[in-house]
Amino acid sequence: MGFERQVRERIEDVLSGDKKPEEIPGATSVRCAMGLVLGTLEGITTLSESDAWDYLDSGNVALVHELRDQYRDRTAQWRKRYEADKAALAEAEEAARANRANEPLREMKALSKALWDEFDAQNATQRE
């Protein structure tokens, strides 16, 4: 399978929502090209953008520039959704972390309430 075809298939999988970028297999050069076209290497490769460009041979660099132009509108829309999804996930993780951090306090309040309820019940019994 040709390099261009591999890159296009992976980009289409991501843009259509069939796969997340981090789930896409392939050679490093294909993943670098895909990430450079999508505008993010996050989750795709640990290489920096500069290193990803350097990783590609000159013919593939030219191809990536062509693909970036061809997919510009679709990748811009995808990046907006991707960033919104990332922000929502980070917010949910932060809320879950805060919830876990507050769990001991909730447990202590529940225990305190149970003890006061028991104390009140004993006082009510003694007053009768």
Side-chain angles (χ1 to χ4, degrees):
M1 184 185 306
F3 182 80
E4 180 177 356
R5 184 170 165 207
Q6 290 179 51
V7 175
R8 282 184 184 276
E9 285 179 358
R10 285 159 175 79
I11 290 169
E12 288 295 335
D13 283 344
V14 171
L15 294 178
S16 68
D18 290 342
K19 292 187 179 175
K20 295 179 181 178
E22 57 273 12
E23 296 172 346
I24 302 288
T28 302
S29 59
V30 172
R31 290 193 328 271
C32 285
M34 181 188 72
L36 291 167
V37 172
L38 291 173
T40 182
L41 295 168
E42 184 178 351
I44 299 171
T45 180
T46 57
L47 296 175
S48 68
E49 184 172 345
S50 173
D51 290 340
W53 284 112
D54 290 344
Y55 198 86
L56 301 174
D57 64 38
S58 59
N60 291 342
V61 167
L63 173 67
V64 168
H65 283 293
E66 288 176 29
L67 293 175
R68 285 173 73 141
D69 288 341
Q70 290 175 17
Y71 284 99
R72 182 177 320 278
D73 293 338
R74 289 180 64 199
T75 56
Q77 292 171 356
W78 173 82
R79 272 194 309 278
K80 286 179 187 174
R81 288 191 312 270
Y82 180 75
E83 292 302 322
D85 290 348
K86 245 178 34 176
L89 180 61
E91 187 176 312
E93 287 174 348
E94 180 58 32
R97 193 173 14 261
N99 194 28
R100 285 190 304 274
N102 289 329
E103 187 60 31
L105 179 58
R106 280 193 295 278
E107 289 174 0
M108 188 177 299
K109 285 182 177 180
L111 177 61
S112 176
K113 182 181 179 328
L115 290 172
W116 279 110
D117 289 349
E118 182 181 330
F119 177 77
D120 290 342
Q122 287 176 357
N123 277 345
T125 304
Q126 289 176 357
R127 281 187 251 140
E128 292 176 359

